[in-house]
Amino acid sequence: MKNNILFFTFFLLLFIGCEVKEKKQTKPKLVVGIVIDQMRYDYLTRFYDRYSENGFKRLLNNGFSLENAHYNLIPTYTAVGHSSIYTGTTPSNHGIISNNWYDKFLKKSIYCVDDANYKTIGNDSNDGKKSPHRMYSTTVTDQLKLAQNMNGKTIGIALKDRSAILPAGHTANAAYWYYGKDKGDFISSSFYIDELPKWVLDFNDSDKAESYVKTPWETLYNIETYTNSIVDDNIFEGKFKGESTSTFPHNIPEIKEKNGNLDILKAIPNGNSFTTDFAKAAIIGENLGKNTHTDFLAVSYSSTDYVGHQFGPASKEIEDTYLRLDKDLADLFSFLDQQVGNDKYTIFLTADHAAVHVPAYLQSLKIPAHYLDTKRFRDDILSITQKYFNSKELIENVSNYQVFLDKKKIESLGLNKNKVAEKIAEEIVNFDGIYKAVTAKTLQSSHFSDGIMNSLQNGYNQKFSGDVLMIPFPATLTGGKTGTSHGSGYSYDTHVPILFYGNGIKKGVSKKRYNITDIAPTIANLLKIEAPNSSSGKIVEEALK
C-alpha cells in the first residue's frame, strides 16, 4: 500500500511539473522583427570584442545564432530582402523583384511600394502614396492577424518606406516611415489609417530629428582604437556635400543644408537612435505586448545602409555606426524588459542584404574586382541585335541585369523572340563584366538545384522579370569608385546574421546552411500559426524549445 501511495505521488508531482512547464512555454506577447539594412555577417565577428554585453552579445550569447545563413535569391536589394524575410519565399513567388523595376505591361519603371490610390497621412507631400499591393504573398505578420481573427496589433517602422511597409504586410494597423527635408517627421499612408494617432503627433512635435543633427558626428571612442577598419583618410570613401575630406569629424550642423536638411539624419548613426526612439514610442503608444493577443513590431534600421553605401565596409564610419547601433539595441532590449517583461517577447534579428568591399579598395590589394559601364553595356547588347538581326530596336529596356525585349517589334520583323533572347545570352558573355547569362525560357524549363544559378532562378518571376538575365563577375559594381553597393548572389551580399532570442527560443548556435526564407516559417511555428501562403522555407527546429 505504501509503495502504491509513493508511486501515485511521484506521478502526480510529475504531472504537475509538466503542467507548470507547459504554462511557462506560452506564446510571446510581442514579437519584434529587427532588420538591419546592409549588415554583413562579419560585422558580428569583426566588432564583437567592442560590443557591450547587452546589445548584439545579448542575442549571441543567450539566443540562437545561425552562422551560415544566406539569401538564396538574386537580387539582394532592400525591398526584395524585407519581402523575402517576412513572406518566407523568394521573388519567384512574392513578386517584389527589385526596389525599382521595368514594368513590361505599363512600359515604364515602377517603384515597389508606390500606389496612387492612397494619400499621405502626416503632411501634404506625395511620399505617403504607398502600399504593399505589389507583394503577392502574405507575410508572417498577416498570418498572425488572420490566426487571431484580426486581433493583436502589427506596426512597421523604418526610415525607408519600403522597409516599414513590406514587413508590416497587408493587414497591419500601421506602417510609419521618415519624411526628412524641412519636417523631420514620421508619416504613413491612407492604406492603413485616416490620421496619425496622438502618440505619433506628439513624437513629431518633440523635434527629435532636429536634435539629432545639432552636433558633429564624432567617433564614439578614441579613433585610434578603431583598429578593425582601414585608415580614415583614404580614397575609397565618398564625401558629404560640403566636405573637403571624408574624415572624422563630420560637421553635420554645418553641412546639413547642402545634404537635404533633415534628410541627413538618414545617413548618420543618429538615424538609428531616432528609429529606436520611435519604436519605444510605438510600444507605449500602442500598448504593445500588453494585449490579450500577440502583437508584432517590425523595425528596420536603415542608416547602416546609407553609411555603407557612402563609406564602404572597411571604413571607420561603419565601425563607429555598428558600435553605436549596439548601444541602441541594448537600449531597446532593456526597454522591452521593462515594458513587456523579459520572458514575454521574442526577437529575431537579420539583414536585408550584405555588401561587397569597395571594388577599388579590392583592386588596390590585387584582388579581382570590377566596374561595369552601364551605357557601354547597353550599347554592347544593341550591337548584338544589329549584327544578327539587323536592328537596334529589339530592346525595350535594360535594367537590374535584365533585358526586356520589344516583342511587338520582333514580331513585326518576322523574328522569333526565343531565338533573339538565346543569341543575346550567347553573345553577351563575351563582353567585359558579364560572367553568366541565361534566357527566361531556360529558367522556366530547367531547374538549378543549388549555387548562384539557383539564386537567379529564385529571383526570376515569370510574370514580371525580363527575357535575358545576367550575372556579373564577383565584386562588380556600376557607378563611381567610392563607397559600395549590393545586389548580387555572391556570398559577400548573401551572408547575413540570423539571430533568434527570447520566449520559445533555445540558447545555441548552428553552422548548418539556412536560407533567409526560413525565418518566417520558424516564427510561424513558434506562434502556432500557418506560415505565409507562399512560404518555401523550412522551420529551424534546433532553435525552438
Side-chain angles (χ1 to χ4, degrees):
M1 184 69 176
K2 184 176 180 181
N3 287 340
N4 286 341
I5 293 173
L6 290 171
F7 186 81
F8 176 78
T9 303
F10 171 79
F11 275 97
L12 181 62
L13 290 171
L14 183 64
F15 176 77
I16 293 171
C18 290
E19 284 288 295
V20 171
K21 185 178 180 181
E22 185 68 28
K23 286 181 181 179
K24 285 183 179 179
Q25 292 179 355
T26 55
K27 291 182 184 179
K29 301 298 292 180
L30 175 65
V31 178
V32 182
I34 299 173
V35 180
I36 300 175
D37 204 320
Q38 201 189 120
M39 183 175 182
R40 292 165 56 106
Y41 175 81
D42 66 358
Y43 293 163
L44 284 180
T45 55
R46 275 174 58 195
F47 309 137
Y48 180 86
D49 290 342
R50 305 207 70 184
Y51 289 144
S52 70
E53 294 300 317
N54 300 314
F56 285 114
K57 281 186 179 179
R58 179 171 176 178
L59 306 190
L60 285 166
N61 296 336
N62 298 292
F64 199 92
S65 173
L66 307 184
E67 294 184 342
N68 191 26
H70 289 263
Y71 274 86
N72 57 331
L73 56 90
I74 296 172
T76 43
Y77 291 143
T78 296
V80 181
H82 283 80
S83 299
S84 300
I85 291 165
Y86 280 86
T87 63
T89 192
T90 61
S92 59
N93 292 316
H94 62 59
I96 302 296
I97 63 172
S98 188
N99 293 333
N100 302 79
W101 66 88
Y102 180 72
D103 188 311
K104 53 192 176 186
F105 304 101
L106 298 176
K107 306 298 182 186
K108 66 176 184 179
S109 180
I110 59 173
Y111 178 58
C112 56
V113 293
D114 273 350
D115 193 338
N117 294 310
Y118 299 96
K119 64 180 182 179
T120 304
I121 302 298
N123 62 35
D124 57 2
S125 73
N126 292 324
D127 289 43
K129 293 183 175 182
K130 315 287 180 185
S131 85
H133 74 288
R134 290 192 171 97
M135 182 172 61
Y136 289 95
S137 300
T138 61
T139 59
V140 68
T141 47
D142 289 327
Q143 294 298 148
L144 179 59
K145 295 281 279 189
L146 289 169
Q148 298 182 143
N149 196 26
M150 301 309 291
N151 289 302
K153 292 183 178 180
T154 297
I155 304 293
I157 292 169
L159 297 183
K160 295 181 180 179
D161 50 23
R162 57 189 181 272
S163 304
I165 292 168
L166 297 170
H170 307 83
T171 58
N173 296 80
Y176 300 101
W177 54 96
Y178 180 63
Y179 182 90
K181 301 177 184 178
D182 60 336
K183 301 288 187 183
D185 292 342
F186 276 95
I187 62 171
S188 190
S189 164
S190 60
F191 176 84
Y192 303 103
I193 53 179
D194 296 323
E195 60 182 5
L196 293 180
K198 184 178 184 302
W199 69 265
V200 178
L201 293 172
D202 289 345
F203 185 91
N204 288 342
D205 288 343
S206 70
D207 293 327
K208 278 185 175 289
E210 184 71 49
S211 71
Y212 275 125
V213 297
K214 285 184 175 179
T215 56
W217 175 12
E218 299 178 340
T219 53
L220 183 63
Y221 306 111
N222 187 326
I223 197 169
E224 299 301 322
T225 68
Y226 283 49
T227 57
N228 293 309
S229 45
I230 61 176
V231 62
D232 193 29
D233 187 11
N234 67 75
I235 62 172
F236 310 115
E237 300 175 355
K239 302 180 184 69
F240 287 110
K241 293 178 181 176
E243 284 189 325
S244 58
T245 73
S246 59
T247 57
F248 279 105
H250 299 285
N251 195 335
I252 304 304
E254 185 177 282
I255 63 174
K256 72 174 186 177
E257 295 296 333
K258 295 181 179 179
N259 291 272
N261 198 8
L262 293 175
D263 273 345
I264 199 171
L265 181 56
K266 301 174 186 177
I268 59 176
N270 279 351
N272 293 327
S273 303
F274 181 64
T275 303
T276 302
D277 291 342
F278 191 71
K280 290 161 63 177
I283 292 168
I284 295 174
E286 298 291 344
N287 210 32
L288 299 181
K290 294 187 177 180
N291 301 301
T292 303
H293 298 85
T294 300
D295 299 320
F296 205 118
L297 177 64
V299 182
S300 185
Y301 286 100
S302 306
S303 293
T304 43
D305 185 64
Y306 290 97
V307 175
H309 276 295
Q310 183 160 337
F311 298 101
S315 66
K316 297 205 182 300
E317 282 79 2
I318 273 290
E319 183 169 358
D320 191 64
T321 295
Y322 276 87
L323 295 181
R324 289 177 179 276
L325 176 59
D326 181 66
K327 288 186 172 294
D328 290 325
L329 292 174
D331 180 30
L332 178 61
F333 300 158
S334 176
F335 186 82
L336 288 168
D337 291 341
Q338 297 166 16
Q339 293 295 317
V340 183
N342 61 11
D343 60 342
K344 294 181 180 179
Y345 64 87
T346 302
I347 291 172
F348 70 82
L349 183 149
T350 188
D352 58 346
H353 53 75
V356 65
H357 274 289
V358 179
Y361 170 58
L362 295 178
Q363 289 171 348
S364 74
L365 302 174
K366 300 181 181 178
I367 296 173
H370 313 270
Y371 288 94
L372 184 68
D373 184 331
T374 53
K375 183 181 184 304
R376 195 183 73 178
F377 176 49
R378 180 180 174 83
D379 290 341
D380 288 344
I381 297 172
L382 294 178
S383 72
I384 295 171
T385 63
Q386 178 64 40
K387 179 178 179 180
Y388 291 97
F389 304 105
N390 197 32
S391 177
K392 289 187 176 182
E393 298 179 348
L394 308 185
I395 306 300
E396 210 167 73
N397 180 267
V398 179
S399 56
N400 292 318
Y401 290 105
Q402 297 185 32
V403 177
F404 294 81
L405 297 178
D406 187 332
K407 296 179 179 65
K408 286 187 177 180
K409 185 64 177 180
I410 289 171
E411 186 177 338
S412 72
L413 295 175
L415 299 171
N416 182 294
K417 65 178 183 181
N418 291 327
K419 292 287 179 62
V420 174
E422 287 169 8
K423 183 54 68 176
I424 292 172
E426 287 174 8
E427 294 295 319
I428 196 63
V429 292
N430 295 321
F431 292 97
D432 286 344
I434 300 303
Y435 200 31
K436 300 175 186 291
V438 65
T439 65
K441 184 179 179 181
T442 298
L443 294 176
Q444 292 169 28
S445 58
S446 304
H447 175 65
F448 298 95
S449 59
D450 54 27
I452 199 165
M453 292 302 290
N454 172 258
S455 295
L456 186 68
Q457 194 163 47
N458 288 336
Y460 169 76
N461 186 291
Q462 184 176 357
K463 190 173 184 69
F464 303 122
S465 297
D467 302 288
V468 179
L469 293 86
M470 294 155 287
I471 297 173
F473 281 106
T476 295
L477 292 182
T478 60
K481 293 191 176 184
T482 59
T484 192
S485 196
H486 47 86
S488 80
Y490 296 110
S491 62
Y492 53 75
D493 278 338
T494 66
H495 189 197
V496 296
I498 296 182
L499 304 172
F500 297 100
Y501 171 85
N503 184 300
I505 302 300
K506 289 180 182 176
K507 178 180 176 180
V509 63
S510 177
K511 300 182 186 300
K512 295 177 184 176
R513 166 86 184 215
Y514 283 101
N515 294 324
I516 199 71
T517 50
D518 297 333
I519 294 175
T522 301
I523 294 298
N525 184 262
L526 171 71
L527 297 173
K528 307 302 180 189
I529 63 175
E530 282 293 320
N533 60 17
S534 295
S535 176
S536 55
K538 62 186 178 183
I539 298 168
V540 185
E541 295 180 43
E542 54 187 322
L544 301 178
K545 289 182 179 177

